[in-house]
Amino acid sequence: MTQAGLYTGFGRIDQLVSSSDDALAIIGPGEEIHVEFNAALAPLRAGWSRRFVLEANGWAKDMDLYTRDRDTLDPLPVSGRNAEMRDRLNQRYNQRSWHGG
């Protein structure tokens, strides 16, 4: 089952995920966000290793019996940041409609 609502369209969404704001990349079951970055750094010293950490800001909403509005994506969470930018980005990128079920 998938929650009804507007999911992020397929393709590049760099602007949508480039900063921590209330604009959301909304993905469904089995979907992913593919991220690439330039990892060209100075060579390591002998015996050293390097690890990369992806820090993400977001929310997860499940369809648990006790989750409010569990059948829909709405209402989307907000933290109080720039609503104008959030609304513009969500409207541009989140247009793939799913009717649930």
Side-chain angles (χ1 to χ4, degrees):
M1 295 190 65
T2 303
Q3 294 159 313
L6 295 176
Y7 289 79
T8 302
F10 299 119
R12 296 190 70 100
I13 58 169
D14 302 50
Q15 188 179 18
L16 184 61
V17 298
S18 64
S19 63
S20 181
D21 53 29
D22 282 346
L24 301 172
I26 303 171
I27 60 175
E31 297 178 350
E32 66 181 16
I33 296 176
H34 178 88
V35 179
E36 292 184 20
F37 58 94
N38 183 356
L41 300 171
L44 293 174
R45 295 181 186 177
W48 285 29
S49 65
R50 180 176 289 133
R51 289 183 172 76
F52 295 93
V53 176
L54 173 66
E55 291 186 22
N57 292 296
W59 293 270
K61 182 178 178 184
D62 62 25
M63 297 180 79
D64 185 78
L65 179 62
Y66 300 105
T67 299
R68 181 177 173 197
D69 301 312
R70 68 179 183 262
D71 295 327
T72 65
L73 295 173
D74 290 325
L76 296 177
V78 294
S79 67
R81 295 187 177 126
N82 186 343
E84 182 180 335
M85 175 64 83
R86 174 201 66 218
D87 293 345
R88 186 174 62 79
L89 290 171
N90 281 340
Q91 185 176 33
R92 176 178 176 191
Y93 290 100
N94 299 329
Q95 298 181 358
R96 188 168 50 105
S97 182
W98 183 261
H99 301 290

